[in-house]
DNA sequence: AAACTTAAGTAACAGGTGTATCTTTATGAG
DNA sequence: CTCATAAAGATACACCTGTTACTTAAGTTT
């Protein structure tokens, strides 16, 4: 029934399509690229495309994923005990990765249809944040009653937002600065903007979850 | 050349299309709705659609915008001097608005193509955050050297992320709780997760902006 | 109320999309 | 090496998209 992803022909075909797509993305906007364009560039039949991908978006997701394995791989090699430092290193790699693939990511982020990329980033960070925060929750004497999912989503989205700003404004600051700012905003929050004691907010208590 | 937006016929036609679209969205997925479907439902000609909207997405943006005017209107009527409380009230209205239009927004958020909505939300919050933060920056004795744009994007994205989580998880908590959590995470950040003094991070100094 | 302006409707077209059927050919298991 | 298997290629189809040229009719203006 379904296609054997280990078949040499499949691997070749998919790589072919990905590479053709990337080549086209360097030439024209995402929306302006038709499936026909992609298969022509990849020198294959249109039907073949549909055998592997539901639509153009799925091909993009595949491209982004392949690229991401690299980033995830790098992040997994960070060797620090310090959670704070770990988070900083991860963010730094994140920004450096975007910088390294500047041309590609600029294109990816610039056209609307490609918010796919954002979604992938979000998932990655949400996963990462979840782990970090989970640890903290265990050793945490405060036991802040906020569901971890919310925290993960909140932090991940915040970091992605900052990164998008950076990209859309042509990277006015170096990755080191961005990682530091992003981390600082996430951890210290706006608290300092308001003065520390003046606006102290007690952690909200968790309400009954209705069935 | 361009179409007179005040012409009664135009107003009628556009409202017609919006309403037809919303009706269809309650029946099937965004992707599954064709322009043909919309104009059939609206009892108008396909060409008419294209006279007013570039594509399906632009119609959606219009729908979202119309809905948003309401929210923005409500937010503008908050009458508190206290910045913290103002922000809480705004977030509360935000969550209540989503809750009020639950069915619609669930559909809007559920399908990928409709991340348009997120984009609109993001803009709204970025604008709001900017204003609030701008004020704070003026009276702030700390003078934290982080560009306001970054701060706005960071906070806005964080809040949107939290809201999406809430929607995607079928609103397990009441709006009051969500507004409080969202605000607490934004302002107090994860600082408390790590213990306050232990991980104190000095605000990053601003680097030279390269020409 | 009549005349003018301009939006809506009709019809047609060149592309693109996604799917089904059948043939050819590359791959990998024995 | 050979053969069964399954992926790639060729062709055709119904439907959708975005656009143009032209006609009809609703609305605005005087």
């Amino acid at each position: 029934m379904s296609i054997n992803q280990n078949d040499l022909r499949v691997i070749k075909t998919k790589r072919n399509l990905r590479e053709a797509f990337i080549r086209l993305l360097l030439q024209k906007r995402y929306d302006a690229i038709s499936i026909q364009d992609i298969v022509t560039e990849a020198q294959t039949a249109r039907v073949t495309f549909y055998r592997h991908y539901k639509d153009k978006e799925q091909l993009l997701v595949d491209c982004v994923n392949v690229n991401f394995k690299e980033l995830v791989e790098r992040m997994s090699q960070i060797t620090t005990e310090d959670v704070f430092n770990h988070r900083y290193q991860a963010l730094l790699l994140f920004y450096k990765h975007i910088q390294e693939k500047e041309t590609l990511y600029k294109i990816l982020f610039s056209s609307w249809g490609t918010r796919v990329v954002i979604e992938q980033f979000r998932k990655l960070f949400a996963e990462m944040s979840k782990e970090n925060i989970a640890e903290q929750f265990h050793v945490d004497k405060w036991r802040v009653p906020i569901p971890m999912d919310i925290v993960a989503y909140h932090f991940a989205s915040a970091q992605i937002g900052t990164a998008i700003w950076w990209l859309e404004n042509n990277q006015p600051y170096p990755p080191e600065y961005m990682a530091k700012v992003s981390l600082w905003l996430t951890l210290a929050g706006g608290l300092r903007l308001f003065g520390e004691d003046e606006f102290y907010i007690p952690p909200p208590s968790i309400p009954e979850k209705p069935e």
Side-chain angles (χ1 to χ4, degrees), chain A residues 69-87:
Chain A
K69 277 194 189 143
E70 214 179 278
L71 177 59
V72 173
E73 180 56 33
R74 287 186 204 170
M75 280 184 178
S76 72
Q77 282 168 8
I78 301 170
T79 54
T80 173
E81 292 285 310
D82 183 42
V83 179
F84 166 67
N85 194 36
H86 179 280
R87 187 76 78 86

Side-chain angles (χ1 to χ4, degrees), chain A residues 148-190:
Chain A
M148 270 181 243
D149 269 355
I150 300 187
V151 182
Y153 253 74
H154 181 95
F155 287 174
S157 307
Q159 278 155 0
I160 300 305
T162 313
I164 291 168
W165 174 88
W166 190 57
L167 264 174
E168 284 181 353
N169 288 276
N170 295 314
Q171 311 163 39
Y173 306 111
E176 286 79 9
Y177 176 70
M178 290 308 294
K180 207 172 173 185
V181 163
S182 185
L183 190 58
W184 192 78
L185 283 174
T186 304
L187 297 186

Side-chain angles (χ1 to χ4, degrees), chain A residues 112-156:
Chain A
W112 157 253
T114 48
R115 298 280 146 154
V116 181
V117 189
I118 299 172
E119 192 58 15
Q120 295 304 104
F121 270 101
R122 198 191 53 62
K123 273 184 202 154
L124 172 69
F125 270 90
E127 213 42 57
M128 222 181 70
S129 303
K130 218 177 213 167
E131 273 178 36
N132 283 0
I133 293 159
E135 270 179 48
Q136 285 305 317
F137 262 97
H138 266 132
V139 296
D140 186 10
K141 61 190 174 214
W142 295 78
R143 194 84 188 86
V144 181
I146 300 179
M148 270 181 243
D149 269 355
I150 300 187
V151 182
Y153 253 74
H154 181 95
F155 287 174

Side-chain angles (χ1 to χ4, degrees), chain A residues 9 14 28 35 38-39 53 57 117 125 160:
Chain A
R9 289 169 293 185
K14 290 182 85 172
K28 43 178 169 174
I35 312 286
I38 298 168
V39 296
Y53 302 106
E57 201 173 291
V117 189
F125 270 90
I160 300 305

Side-chain angles (χ1 to χ4, degrees), chain A residues 7 26 31 34 47 50 71 73 84 95 101-103 112 121 124 126 136 145 158 163 168 185 188 196-197:
Chain A
D7 193 310
L26 294 170
D31 319 354
S34 71
V47 169
Y50 286 110
L71 177 59
E73 180 56 33
F84 166 67
Y95 279 102
K101 317 242 169 187
E102 181 188 346
T103 324
W112 157 253
F121 270 101
L124 172 69
Q136 285 305 317
E168 284 181 353
L185 283 174
E196 227 170 300
D197 300 319

Side-chain angles (χ1 to χ4, degrees), chain A residues 12-43:
Chain A
K12 268 189 214 162
T13 303
K14 290 182 85 172
R15 193 181 51 223
N16 237 326
L17 286 168
R18 279 199 306 271
E19 287 174 2
F21 187 45
I22 300 285
R23 275 198 301 279
L24 288 173
L25 270 178
L26 294 170
Q27 290 166 35
K28 43 178 169 174
R29 284 189 314 112
Y30 175 81
D31 319 354
I33 300 170
S34 71
I35 312 286
Q36 186 61 63
D37 291 338
I38 298 168
V39 296
T40 304
E41 176 73 27
Q43 305 209 62

